[in-house]
C-alpha cells in the first residue's frame, strides 16, 4: 500500500476526491493554507519481534508503530483504511481530535461506528483544528495492544511560545507476548485470568526481552539479534522538542533521560506553564512535549529509561539511547541506567499532576460554575462470578448498534434506556476497604447531557478487591478537552474540595489520571454534538467495563455517513 | 446459551417461530412426521486443553467438538448462531447438506453469505432431506481449525439395509498448538512459513500431547492431568454403528480398532456395498459409517488408533480405548498399539477408493455421457514470491462480495469476470516434475455451468514444488453429491481412461481424494440452483488458493434473505 502523503489540490484527478476537496475548500475558505493530506493504509497481521520475541502484530503498511501523520492546524486528514486482517474487523480512533462536526469519524466501535470488515475499505475524514501532539490507535476489543497505533503531529499556524531546534516523537508502550485473543478470553473466564504484567516496555516500538532468561524458547521465537534499543541521536548543543506519548495497555510509566532535565511545555495539545522534571510520569493516553537541551558531556551516550510505576513492577526497564553525535549509537553509556522511582510512592506523581497548568497567555478560563456534577466511583467487583470494573456500580458494556446511529436514527432498544447514576452512596461507602458491591450490574446505559451546559466530573478512586490496594486509572474523554480543576486524596468532599478548584489557569487535557485512593475533578462544556466515550485507557480495564458514554446535542448532528453503518440494528443502513 | 433441542409444534409460542413453522408445515404437508429442530448456539473463544496443551479454541455452547445435531430425514434444522468472538466474524457450513432451495444457507463466507459480525445473531434454516452422516464447521479464513466443528446425524424414514444395536459418532481431527492467525499469517508471508505437521491427533476432541517431551512448557500451558484418551465403551456381543468423520486441517488418516474388523456401510450419506477393512483410510471432509461387532475377548480393552498417512508423519498416533464393559475405561490394553501403514504406500489407499461402490438396491445410476468435461490440474507454485496452490494455473481468491448475491442481484465488478480454463496443457505438462508454472495468476473468476446438464470433473494431481513429491488432496463439493467414476495413476487419458469409468454402481459422495500423482473422475448434474464452492478440504490449501466455484441456474434461485448481506458491495442490502 502506498502512503500518498500530501497531495496538492491541482493534482487531484479522482472524482470522489474532487468532491471531497470541494467541501473542504468550502469549509476552509478563509484559511488559504489548509491542505488535504491523504493516506492509504493497509492493516494486516504480520510477524514482528519488537522486543526480540516473535509474535503476530497488526501493522499499518508493514509498520508498528504505524506511519506518523504530520499536518498543519486546519488541514483535512483523509485516511483510507483497508482491512486485510482476514477474519477480524477493526476501527481506528483519532485520539485527542475532537471531531467537531464529524462525530461519526471518532473511530470508536460500538459508540460512533460499526467495525470495518475484512476486505472492506473505510475512509476517515476530519479536520485537525488545533496544533499539538495526538495519537491514533485501534478502538475495538483489545485490538490496540496488537500494535495498531501511531502518532499525529499538528503544527501550529502561529509561533509557539517555546523555542527548539528539532522535533522528535517517542511513543511509549508496554508489550505482552500473549495475543489479545488470549488476554480477552482470560478476562472473560471463570475463574478470572488476569493479563499479568507486560513482558517488556517499548520505546517507540523497540524493546529488549532477555531471551537468555527463557532458554526454553527456540531462537525462532526469541532471537536476541532481532531487536535493538531505541536510539535518539542528538547534535550537541541543540534544543530538542520531544513529543512523548504513552499508549500502554496497562502500565503507568516514569520516563527519564539520564543526566538531562526536561521542560514540560505541552500536554494533550495544550501549552503548559513550563516546569522542569527529571522524571516524567506519563499515563496511557497522555501526550506531552518536553524540551531537552543536549548540553551534557558530548563524548558519551546517556540512558533513556521507561519504568513501571503504580504497580509492583516485574517488567524490566525499557532502555533506549540518548546518543550524542558522533558517538556510535550502540555505545553503551559508562553508567548504570538511573534508578526508577519507588513504584508505590504516589507523592511525586501527584505533585506532577498539580504542576501541570495552562501557560500564561494561553489560558482558556473555565466557567466558574457547573450545571451538573457527576461523581464516578471506580470499583472492582464480581458480577455473576465474572470479574469487572464498575463505575457507580455499573459495569459498562458496548451495544452492537453504535449509540450515535441509534440515537440519531431513533432506533429503539439498541441499548439499555436506564442511565447510570450521577453518584454513589457517599455517606456510607468506604473507599479504603474491599467492598463487595453486591448490587453491581452490567449495562449499556449512557449519560444524556444537556447541550451547551457545563458538566463537572469527579473521578473517585477506591480500594480494589485486593486489601489496601488502589490503582491508577487514566481516564480519556472523546470529543472534548476538559479543564482539570483539581486532584485530591481520599474521598472527594463536595462541600470543601470544590473550594480548592483551580479556576485560574487549569490545564485542558483529554486524558487524566485518578491517583490511588484519590480523586480528580474535571469540567467540560457539552458543546460538541455527538456521542462520546469516557473511559479508563487501560485496555483491560475498559474491556472489563470501566467506562461511560455521554450524549450531547445528538439532534444537532449532521447527516450520518452510511459507511459507519451495517452492524446490529443498522444492518441495511449502509449503501454499497 | 441454551440448546433447545426438539420443540414440539404445539409448544411454539414465539411469533417468529410460528411463522417459520407455518412455512415448514406447508412445505412438508405430505410428511406428517417432519419436525423443526431449533438450536441456539453461542460461539466463543475459550481456553481448552484437548491434548493437555492449553490454547484458545472456538467453542459452541462451551464445547468443541460442538453439540451434535440429531434429526430425521425431512426435518427442518434452525440454528440461531450468536457470535461472541469479540472482534472476529464467523460463518458455519453444513457439510454434506445440499441446501436444495436454500443455497444462501450453505454458510460459505464469500460464496453464499457475508460473515456474521461479533454481537450479531444469524439464523440458518434448512431441510435435511436425506439420511446419513454429515458435519458442520466454520468456513471463514482458517477458522475451522480453531475448533468450531461438529456432527450431524440424520436418521432415515425407511429401514436401513444393515443391522446394528447402537449408534456412535467419532470425529477425527489433527491439532495445532499455534493459532489460526499465526498459521494464516505465516502462509501469507515472504518468506513462506509453512504450518508444519500437527502436534497431535484428536479422536472426537481428545488427544494426548506428551508434555514431558517439552519440559520448557509450564504446567499452566501443558498439564498431563488435563487430557485423557477418547473412550468408546462397548457391551460385549453387540454390533455398533460407528459414524467416523474426519475434519483434519491437513492430515490424511488411517483409523483402526485393534483386533476388530470394520464393515464399511455408508460414505458421505450413501449406502456402500459392504466391505471389510482392518484400517479405514479417511480424508478431511469425509464421513463413513462402519459396523463393528464387539466379539473379541471381553476381559480386556483394545486400542483405537488414528495415524497420519500420505505425509512423512512426525505426529504421534492418536490413541483411544475400545473399552469392553465392565473393564475400567482407563485400563490399558496388554498390547502395544497396532502399527500404522507405511505413510507413503499409496496402493492400499487406492484399493480402498476402488472398493467403495453404491450398495445394491440403492444405486443411483449416473448419466452415461456428460455435456462438459473440466480437467483440474492441481499444482503448487509461486506468484509474486508468495506460495500458492493453483488449479489450471489459477490460484483462487475469495471476493469480498459473495458470489451468490453478486450474481443474483446483478452487482457488477464483484469478482473477476474471466472464467478459469477447462483444462491445462495436457500434451506438454509433465505431472512428475517440479514445474515453475510461471503463468500462474490469482483470480476470483468462476465456472458458469449450464443448468440441468451433466458435468465431468477430472482432478489431476501433479508434483509439488518438492522433487518426487505429490500430496493427497480431498476435494469437497458444496450443494451436490457427485458420482465417483474412477481413480487412476499418472496423467488422465481422456481417450482411454474414460472407458474404465464405473457407470454401473458408482458411489455418490461429496468429498473424494485425489491420490499422489493420480487422478479422480467425478460426474454431477447441475440441478441445484446456486453458487457452490469446490475445493481441497485441507484448510491451508484452500487458504492458499486450491479451489474453484461453480455457478448453476442462479437465475432460478429464490429471493435471497437479507441476513446474508451487508459486506462488500452488498452493504445496505441487509435490513435491520
Amino acid at each position: 500500500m502506498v502512503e500518498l502523503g500530501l497531495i496538492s489540490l491541482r493534482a487531484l484527478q479522482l472524482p470522489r476526491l474532487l468532491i471531497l476537496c470541494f467541501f473542504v475548500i468550502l469549509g476552509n475558505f478563509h484559511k488559504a493554507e489548509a491542505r488535504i493530506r491523504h493516506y492509504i493504509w493497509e492493516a494486516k497481521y504480520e510477524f514482528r519481534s519488537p522486543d526480540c520475541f516473535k509474535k503476530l502484530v497488526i501493522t499499518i503498511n508493514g509498520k508498528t508503530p504505524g506511519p506518523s501523520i504530520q499536518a498543519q492546524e486546519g488541514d483535512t486528514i483523509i485516511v483510507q483504511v483497508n482491512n486485510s486482517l482476514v477474519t477480524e474487523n477493526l476501527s481506528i480512533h483519532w485520539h485527542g481530535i475532537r471531531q467537531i462536526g464529524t462525530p461519526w469519524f471518532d473511530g470508536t466501535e460500538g459508540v460512533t461506528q460499526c467495525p470495518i470488515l475484512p476486505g472492506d475499505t473505510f475512509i476517515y475524514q476530519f479536520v485537525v483544528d488545533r496544533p499539538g501532539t495526538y495519537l491514533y490507535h485501534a478502538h475495538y476489543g483489545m485490538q490496540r495492544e496488537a500494535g495498531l497505533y501511531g502518532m499525529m503531529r499538528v503544527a501550529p499556524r502561529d509561533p509557539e511560545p517555546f523555542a527548539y531546534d528539532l522535533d522528535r516523537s517517542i511513543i511509549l508502550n508496554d508489550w505482552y507476548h500473549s495475543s489479545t485473543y488470549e488476554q480477552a478470553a482470560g478476562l472473560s473466564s471463570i475463574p478470572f485470568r488476569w493479563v499479568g504484567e507486560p513482558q517488556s516496555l517499548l520505546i517507540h516500538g523497540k524493546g529488549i526481552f532477555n531471551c537468555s532468561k527463557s532458554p526454553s524458547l527456540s531462537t525462532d521465537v526469541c532471537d536476541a539479534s532481532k531487536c535493538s534499543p531505541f536510539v535518539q541521536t542528538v547534535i550537541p548543543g541543540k534544543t530538542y522538542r520531544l513529543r512523548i506519548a504513552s499508549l500502554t495497555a496497562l502500565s503507568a510509566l516514569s520516563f527519564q533521560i539520564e543526566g538531562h532535565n526536561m521542560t514540560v511545555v505541552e500536554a494533550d495539545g495544550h501549552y503548559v506553564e513550563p516546569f522542569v522534571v527529571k522524571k516524567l510520569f506519563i499515563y496511557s493516553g497522555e501526550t506531552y512535549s518536553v524540551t531537552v537541551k543536549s548540553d551534557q558531556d558530548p563524548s558519551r551516550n546517556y540512558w533513556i529509561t521507561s519504568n513501571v510505576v503504580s504497580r509492583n513492577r516485574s517488567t524490566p526497564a525499557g532502555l533506549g539511547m540518548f546518543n550524542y553525535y558522533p558517538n556510535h549509537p550502540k555505545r553503551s553509556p559508562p553508567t548504570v541506567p538511573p534508578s526508577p522511582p519507588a513504584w508505590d510512592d504516589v507523592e511525586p506523581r501527584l505533585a506532577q499532576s498539580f504542576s501541570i497548568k495552562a501557560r500564561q497567555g494561553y489560558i482558556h478560563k473555565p466557567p466558574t460554575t457547573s450545571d451538573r456534577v457527576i461523581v464516578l466511583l471506580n470499583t472492582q467487583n464480581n458480577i455473576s462470578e465474572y470479574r469487572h470494573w464498575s463505575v457507580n456500580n455499573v459495569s459498562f458494556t458496548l451495544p452492537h448498534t453504535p449509540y450515535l446511529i441509534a440515537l440519531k436514527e431513533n432506533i429503539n432498544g439498541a441499548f439499555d434506556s436506564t442511565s447510570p447514576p450521577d453518584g454513589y452512596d457517599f455517606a456510607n461507602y468506604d473507599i479504603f476497604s474491599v467492598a463487595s458491591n453486591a448490587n453491581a450490574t452490567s449495562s449499556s446505559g449512557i449519560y444524556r447531557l444537556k447541550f451547551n451546559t457545563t458538566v463537572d466530573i469527579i473521578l473517585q478512586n477506591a480500594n480494589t478487591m485486593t486489601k489496601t490496594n488502589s490503582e491508577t486509572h487514566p481516564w480519556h474523554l472523546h470529543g472534548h478537552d476538559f479543564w482539570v480543576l483539581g486532584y485530591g486524596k481520599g474521598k472527594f468532599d463536595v462541600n470543601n474540595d470544590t473550594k480548592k478548584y483551580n479556576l485560574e489557569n487549569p490545564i485542558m487535557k483529554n486524558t487524566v489520571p485518578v491517583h490511588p485512593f484519590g480523586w480528580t475533578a474535571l469540567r467540560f462544556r457539552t458543546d460538541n454534538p455527538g456521542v462520546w466515550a469516557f473511559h479508563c485507557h487501560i485496555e483491560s480495564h475498559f474491556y472489563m467495563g470501566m467506562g461511560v458514554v455521554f450524549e450531547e446535542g445528538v439532534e444537532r448532528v449532521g447527516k450520518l455517513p452510511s459507511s459507519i453503518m451495517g452492524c446490529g440494528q443498522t444492518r441495511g443502513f449502509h449503501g454499497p
Side-chain angles (χ1 to χ4, degrees), chain A:
Chain A
M1 289 294 117
V2 188
E3 183 183 326
L4 293 179
L6 182 62
I7 297 177
S8 95
L9 289 183
R10 281 187 304 275
L12 291 172
Q13 302 293 336
L14 298 167
R16 191 184 55 206
L17 283 178
L18 275 176
I19 293 163
L20 291 176
C21 292
F22 178 72
F23 286 108
V24 170
I25 290 165
L26 271 188
N28 294 290
F29 199 68
H30 60 290
K31 306 170 191 165
E33 71 273 42
R35 286 169 166 174
I36 295 174
R37 294 173 193 267
H38 194 192
Y39 299 85
I40 298 178
W41 286 358
E42 183 186 25
K44 197 176 170 185
Y45 269 110
E46 299 189 87
F47 285 100
R48 291 288 184 273
S49 306
D51 64 349
C52 283
F53 182 95
K54 182 155 71 178
K55 65 169 281 189
L56 277 189
V57 303
I58 301 180
T59 58
I60 296 177
N61 296 350
K63 296 195 284 188
T64 176
S68 289
I69 288 180
Q70 298 198 28
Q72 200 185 19
E73 182 184 351
D75 286 354
T76 295
I77 307 295
I78 300 175
V79 183
Q80 177 181 325
V81 180
N82 301 310
N83 178 356
S84 294
L85 300 181
V86 186
T87 54
E88 181 176 321
N89 306 311
L90 61 79
S91 73
I92 302 180
H93 171 55
W94 313 93
H95 182 112
I97 307 301
R98 291 170 299 169
Q99 301 287 357
I100 294 168
T102 52
W104 43 77
F105 287 141
D106 189 47
T108 310
E109 189 275 333
V111 178
T112 63
Q113 72 164 99
C114 290
I116 307 166
L117 268 65
D120 275 357
T121 294
F122 186 94
I123 297 172
Y124 288 100
Q125 181 181 348
F126 51 87
V127 175
V128 287
D129 60 343
R130 287 180 309 135
T133 307
Y134 307 103
L135 298 162
Y136 65 83
H137 58 77
H139 211 298
Y140 185 46
M142 292 174 68
Q143 199 173 54
R144 187 182 89 216
E145 282 190 36
L148 202 174
Y149 66 92
M151 190 167 262
M152 303 178 72
R153 283 157 59 157
V154 183
R157 293 232 183 79
D158 301 322
E160 287 172 300
F162 48 89
Y164 53 93
D165 302 304
L166 293 145
D167 192 344
R168 296 288 180 265
S169 297
I170 299 174
I171 308 182
L172 304 176
N173 207 350
D174 48 14
W175 195 246
Y176 287 89
H177 293 170
S178 58
S179 70
T180 59
Y181 285 87
E182 291 166 325
Q183 294 188 42
L187 296 174
S188 300
S189 292
I190 296 175
F192 176 70
R193 189 184 164 101
W194 173 237
V195 298
E197 298 300 312
Q199 278 65 56
S200 61
L201 297 177
L202 304 187
I203 302 179
H204 215 68
K206 286 166 165 272
I208 300 190
F209 177 76
N210 191 341
C211 295
S212 65
K213 283 204 175 164
S214 299
S216 63
L217 297 172
S218 74
T219 52
D220 179 55
V221 175
C222 203
D223 181 343
S225 74
K226 296 286 190 205
C227 62
S228 58
F230 170 80
V231 175
Q232 179 60 62
T233 300
V234 294
I235 299 161
K238 298 287 185 191
T239 299
Y240 285 80
R241 176 188 191 162
L242 299 182
R243 297 171 189 261
I244 300 164
S246 172
L247 279 174
T248 51
L250 175 67
S251 313
L253 298 175
S254 167
F255 176 84
Q256 190 167 359
I257 303 170
E258 181 194 11
H260 291 73
N261 287 334
M262 298 182 280
T263 304
V264 179
V265 292
E266 184 215 345
D268 293 5
H270 291 273
Y271 297 132
V272 169
E273 182 66 17
F275 65 99
V276 175
V277 294
K278 290 207 173 292
K279 297 179 171 75
L280 178 74
F281 296 106
I282 184 165
Y283 307 94
S284 182
E286 288 191 319
T287 71
Y288 288 97
S289 286
V290 299
T291 55
V292 179
K293 196 151 191 209
S294 46
D295 57 3
Q296 298 300 302
D297 174 3
S299 70
R300 54 164 286 195
N301 293 333
Y302 297 83
W303 293 108
I304 298 175
T305 61
S306 167
N307 275 285
V308 173
V309 292
S310 186
R311 300 183 67 87
N312 194 350
R313 55 180 162 251
S314 60
T315 311
L319 292 177
M321 210 71 85
F322 203 64
N323 162 232
Y324 274 68
Y325 183 84
N327 294 302
H328 192 284
K330 292 197 173 170
R331 191 174 146 204
S332 272
T335 46
V336 293
S339 301
W343 73 268
D344 55 352
D345 186 1
V346 181
E347 293 304 330
R349 305 202 297 269
L350 198 56
Q352 179 182 304
S353 290
F354 278 117
S355 299
I356 302 168
K357 296 181 170 62
R359 187 174 185 124
Q360 290 301 315
Y362 297 87
I363 296 170
H364 301 273
K365 284 261 184 184
T368 51
T369 60
S370 71
D371 301 300
R372 181 172 175 183
V373 178
I374 301 174
V375 183
L376 300 177
L377 176 70
N378 294 203
T379 60
Q380 198 181 42
N381 47 264
N382 286 333
I383 302 176
S384 309
E385 298 181 61
Y386 288 99
R387 184 71 57 86
H388 285 266
W389 285 95
S390 298
V391 177
N392 293 346
N393 254 359
V394 177
S395 185
F396 177 70
T397 56
L398 277 168
H400 298 301
T401 303
Y403 293 109
L404 179 62
I405 314 172
L407 289 165
K408 178 72 183 164
E409 306 289 343
N410 295 309
I411 300 169
N412 288 322
F415 58 89
D416 297 328
S417 57
T418 306
S419 292
D422 274 18
Y424 68 104
D425 183 3
F426 175 81
N428 298 308
Y429 196 92
D430 179 4
I431 66 159
F432 296 102
S433 299
V434 174
S436 75
N437 301 304
N439 297 328
T441 56
S442 290
S443 170
S444 58
I446 65 173
Y447 291 92
R448 311 288 300 259
L449 305 180
K450 198 170 171 205
F451 188 66
N452 254 335
T453 60
T454 302
V455 174
D456 283 4
I457 303 288
I458 318 297
L459 294 164
Q460 177 65 60
N461 216 334
N463 204 102
T464 64
M465 290 176 71
T466 306
K467 272 189 185 175
T468 65
N469 175 259
S470 182
E471 301 185 5
T472 303
H473 304 287
W475 278 76
H476 171 62
L477 179 58
H478 293 224
H480 294 275
D481 296 331
F482 46 71
W483 291 276
V484 184
L485 299 186
Y487 298 87
K489 296 180 188 175
K491 199 189 278 189
F492 176 78
D493 174 354
V494 73
N495 295 316
N496 294 303
D497 286 329
T498 48
K499 293 173 191 159
K500 295 179 263 174
Y501 279 176
N502 174 10
L503 300 173
E504 289 308 307
N505 59 352
I507 190 71
M508 297 195 82
K509 290 184 103 267
N510 60 60
T511 307
V512 73
V514 53
H515 294 289
F517 295 114
W519 56 264
T520 302
L522 320 173
R523 179 166 292 176
F524 70 98
R525 292 283 300 165
T526 60
D527 54 3
N528 190 9
V531 187
W532 307 108
F534 179 48
H535 60 92
C536 178
H537 210 262
I538 293 174
E539 194 82 320
S540 50
H541 288 188
F542 182 48
Y543 181 82
M544 292 164 71
M546 200 171 197
V548 299
V549 163
F550 297 130
E551 175 275 327
E552 69 203 51
V554 76
E555 67 285 351
R556 293 162 189 257
V557 168
K559 186 174 179 335
L560 300 179
S562 70
S563 63
I564 64 169
M565 305 181 187
C567 61
Q569 293 185 59
T570 73
R571 292 187 263 196
F573 286 23
H574 186 174

